């Protein structure tokens, strides 16, 4: 998966630079920005864009910029000069209204192109392809929705993703932040309405499950813990915050993989039985193992001894199984995304 952030040029450079550096440190790979911001006293629009391009290049992040005919005027560029944006550190442009299919197709031979995944239909896409649009230089970007109850449904996003994938075009969707939310509404900036008030990691994993190739944080910041969580997602690993009982602390910071033949009621660690640890039966075990509890099979389980599991439902206890710890509440919702072959890591 590829993760990105949003930068708003009307924000102070110092705030934007801090956000870019935090994102780069945690594995984010690209920046989305809009060139529709109103002109303000005290700064040069062109210098702001060049500053962003240079700052992004310093941390090896790409920049995709939302453009319109009006923003081109303020940049002092004609349409035919748009490829010059590469010299400013801008990798591509998201194009919506005001450009012809022929123009967009022509530009895809020089810059990455972002199409509007939320509004473009198959007929419009076919016209673009007939004009010479390069699918491997194009991405379909969903909108974000600042106003509550205006975001799209999960099914709508899934259907749109499938449309663009048929033509070899990758897709991108937005999830909200969990720190400083974008004004003036401060209601989050998701693509899917049901993601407006859920943790960004949950929203990102659901977008992935719905076939979205790239995920962008719509709001201008993440909390430190969530940003760190995305660093693990960038490596294909789901971060799970957990508490471990005495004698099981060695499981912190250990990476596990759910078996390919994923069980219905538990997440079974592939790696745990190879750790060569032998556990004595624990007489303090409970009558039931609750959802989110982390268990380890003790020596009474024979060849299964040492296997670590996470309970997905309340299950009957067994004297052959010890309670090692439990998933913390803030990570319980992530368990449903640990499917067959999915890696996960326990964090303190």
């Amino acid at each position: 998966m590829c993760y990105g952030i949003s930068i708003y040029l009307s924000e102070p450079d110092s705030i934007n630079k801090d956000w870019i550096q935090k994102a780069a440190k945690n594995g984010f790979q690209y920046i989305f920005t809009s060139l529709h911001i109103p002109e303000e006293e005290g700064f040069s629009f062109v210098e702001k864009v060049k500053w962003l391009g240079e700052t992004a290049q310093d941390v090896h992040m790409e920049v995709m910029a939302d453009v319109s005919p009006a923003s081109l005027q303020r940049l002092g560029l004609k349409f035919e000069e748009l490829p010059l944006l590469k010299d400013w550190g801008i990798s591509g442009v998201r194009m919506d209204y005001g450009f012809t299919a022929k123009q967009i197709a022509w530009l895809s031979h020089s810059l990455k192109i972002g199409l509007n995944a939320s509004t473009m239909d198959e007929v419009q896409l076919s016209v673009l392809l007939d004009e010479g649009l390069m699918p491997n230089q194009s991405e379909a970007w969903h909108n974000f929705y600042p106003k509550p109850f205006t975001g799209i449904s999960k099914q709508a996003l899934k259907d749109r993703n499938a449309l663009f994938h048929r033509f070899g075009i990758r897709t991108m969707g937005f999830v909200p932040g969990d720190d400083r939310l974008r004004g003036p509404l401060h209601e989050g900036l998701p693509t899917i309405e049901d993601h407006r008030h859920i943790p960004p990691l949950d929203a990102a994993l659901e977008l992935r499950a719905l076939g979205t190739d790239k995920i962008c944080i719509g709001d201008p910041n993440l909390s430190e813990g969530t940003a760190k969580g995305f660093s693990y997602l960038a490596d294909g690993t789901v971060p799970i915050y957990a508490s471990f009982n005495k004698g099981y602390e060695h499981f912190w910071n250990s990476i596990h993989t759910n078996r390919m033949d994923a069980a219905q009621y538990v997440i079974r660690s592939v790696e745990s039985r190879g750790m060569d640890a032998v556990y004595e039966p624990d007489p303090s075990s409970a009558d039931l193992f609750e959802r989110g509890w982390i268990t380890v099979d003790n020596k009474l389980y024979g060849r299964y001894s040492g296997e670590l599991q996470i309970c997905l439902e309340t299950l009957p206890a067994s004297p052959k199984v010890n309670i090692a710890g439990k998933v913390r509440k803030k990570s319980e919702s992530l368990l449903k995304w640990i499917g067959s072959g999915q890696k996960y890591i326990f964090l303190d």
Side-chain angles (χ1 to χ4, degrees):
M1 288 296 297
C2 186
Y3 298 95
I5 65 169
S6 299
I7 289 292
Y8 300 95
L9 295 175
S10 55
E11 297 274 356
D13 289 353
S14 59
I15 290 177
N16 281 336
K17 187 173 183 178
D18 287 346
W19 178 211
I20 290 169
Q21 291 179 336
K22 179 200 289 188
K25 181 182 71 175
N26 287 291
F28 289 86
Q29 297 168 289
Y30 67 92
I31 293 168
F32 167 73
T33 193
S34 174
L35 302 187
H36 301 319
I37 63 170
E39 193 69 73
E40 296 181 14
E41 293 289 335
F43 72 78
S44 162
F45 186 71
V46 171
E47 290 306 312
K48 277 276 188 179
V49 176
K50 289 183 176 180
W51 173 88
L52 176 60
E54 291 171 2
T55 304
Q57 286 182 324
D58 287 343
V59 292
H60 309 291
M61 294 177 76
E62 291 189 336
V63 179
M64 289 285 289
D66 207 1
V67 300
S68 66
S71 58
L72 287 189
Q73 287 184 344
R74 289 161 55 202
L75 291 171
L77 295 175
K78 298 177 182 178
F79 177 82
E80 294 77 12
E81 296 174 314
L82 267 176
L84 295 176
L85 287 176
K86 287 192 292 187
D87 296 334
W88 299 4
I90 308 301
S91 305
V93 292
R94 184 180 189 261
M95 311 185 77
D96 200 348
Y97 304 106
F99 299 103
T100 68
K102 186 180 292 292
Q103 286 177 316
I104 296 171
W106 174 81
L107 195 58
S108 73
H109 293 257
S110 302
L111 289 172
K112 286 187 177 180
I113 296 296
L115 307 174
N116 192 320
S118 298
T119 61
M120 181 169 288
D121 60 28
E122 187 167 355
V123 172
Q124 293 169 313
L125 181 55
S126 296
V127 171
L128 281 168
L129 292 167
D130 288 343
E131 291 287 356
L133 180 78
M134 297 182 66
N136 64 343
Q137 275 281 94
S138 304
E139 298 171 351
W141 287 51
H142 293 278
N143 294 331
F144 59 58
Y145 298 91
K147 184 181 178 182
F149 307 112
T150 61
I152 66 174
S153 70
K154 297 172 188 178
Q155 188 61 50
L157 178 131
K158 185 177 181 180
D159 292 344
R160 286 283 173 172
N161 284 345
L163 166 63
F164 288 98
H165 287 163
R166 289 208 316 270
F167 294 92
I169 296 173
R170 302 173 75 204
T171 61
M172 192 286 300
F174 288 92
V175 299
D178 67 345
D179 186 63
R180 188 166 50 90
L181 302 183
R182 176 74 171 162
L185 299 182
H186 305 285
E187 294 280 359
L189 297 176
T191 291
I192 293 177
E193 182 58 39
D194 287 349
H195 289 173
R196 191 172 300 278
H197 299 297
I198 71 171
L201 290 171
D202 287 82
L205 286 164
E206 183 153 46
L207 281 186
R208 184 184 73 170
L210 293 169
T212 313
D213 303 295
K214 300 176 68 173
I215 293 162
C216 189
I217 311 301
D219 288 294
N221 207 357
L222 289 174
S223 66
E224 290 291 341
T226 299
K228 181 181 178 182
F230 271 96
S231 73
Y232 293 104
L233 285 193
D235 288 332
T237 304
V238 177
I240 298 295
Y241 287 89
S243 300
F244 283 102
N245 299 331
K246 186 177 181 180
Y248 300 93
E249 300 95 333
H250 56 281
F251 285 117
W252 273 318
N253 298 311
S254 60
I255 296 177
H256 300 262
T257 308
N258 192 13
R259 286 174 54 126
M260 288 301 295
D261 53 341
Q264 179 177 352
Y265 296 106
V266 293
I267 296 169
R268 302 178 67 188
S269 165
V270 171
E271 292 81 2
S272 57
R273 282 166 62 187
M275 291 181 174
D276 296 325
V278 177
Y279 301 91
E280 295 294 327
D282 183 357
S284 64
S285 289
D287 295 329
L288 294 172
F289 296 152
E290 298 180 12
R291 171 179 165 78
W293 284 18
I294 303 165
T295 66
V296 176
D297 296 344
N298 63 49
K299 68 180 185 180
L300 297 179
Y301 234 136
R303 67 188 185 93
Y304 294 100
S305 178
E307 178 169 281
L308 178 144
Q309 301 181 161
I310 305 175
C311 298
L312 296 176
E313 295 186 17
T314 299
L315 302 174
S318 167
K320 301 177 183 180
V321 181
N322 296 355
I323 301 169
K326 66 181 300 183
V327 173
R328 294 181 187 165
K329 194 164 187 64
K330 66 179 179 179
S331 290
E332 284 183 6
S333 59
L334 299 179
L335 296 179
K336 62 179 174 291
W337 304 118
I338 304 178
S340 61
Q342 175 63 57
K343 292 186 179 296
Y344 56 99
I345 184 171
F346 290 118
L347 301 176
D348 187 1

